[in-house]
Amino acid sequence: MSGRKVVDCGLSKAQRRVVLKWATIWLIDKTTDLELTSRRKDPARSIEEVAALGRLVRGLEDGEVEVPDKVLGELVARRTDETERLDELRRAKEEYEKEKEEHKAWVKLLGVIVGHQGASGE
């Protein structure tokens, strides 16, 4: 017996669909990589992660999750950190694009001012 109990996952149907979609993709990718990871130092960890993702996918289909699940908790924490970092990068890119446009405007204005100063002999 695993010592886990099944509880409601706490996600709305829309959230569940999103997480289920990405968890399924992640599970497929990790399963595909198992052959490669068997040559590494700790293939058992990769197998544990595939099993944890399998439990997650199976549970999300019914809106449930097994707890406690240390391996799954670590995977979800890692994914949460990754999505947070991606969000920060998106915001930084948006800010950069705004700054770049502002810079272009200042450069263009400077060109007009400098061009007219040279024409008037100032």
Side-chain angles (χ1 to χ4, degrees), residues 70-81:
K70 183 179 181 216
V71 174
L72 183 58
E74 291 168 358
L75 288 169
V76 171
R78 185 169 72 207
R79 184 63 184 148
T80 301
D81 184 55

Side-chain angles (χ1 to χ4, degrees), residues 37-48:
T37 58
S38 67
R39 298 182 197 132
R40 294 187 186 158
K41 269 187 173 180
D42 192 9
R45 176 61 184 196
S46 297
I47 293 167
E48 288 175 346

Side-chain angles (χ1 to χ4, degrees), residues 14-70:
Q15 290 172 319
R16 222 171 68 213
R17 278 193 301 272
V18 169
V19 173
L20 181 58
K21 173 188 169 190
W22 289 107
T24 302
I25 291 168
W26 198 4
L27 173 60
I28 291 167
D29 288 347
K30 280 205 150 300
T31 303
T32 303
D33 290 345
L34 275 179
E35 184 179 315
L36 299 173
T37 58
S38 67
R39 298 182 197 132
R40 294 187 186 158
K41 269 187 173 180
D42 192 9
R45 176 61 184 196
S46 297
I47 293 167
E48 288 175 346
E49 290 178 355
V50 167
L53 287 168
R55 288 189 298 275
L56 176 63
V57 167
R58 185 187 65 238
L60 285 175
E61 290 171 349
D62 295 326
E64 301 170 337
V65 66
E66 293 182 25
V67 294
D69 192 327
K70 183 179 181 216

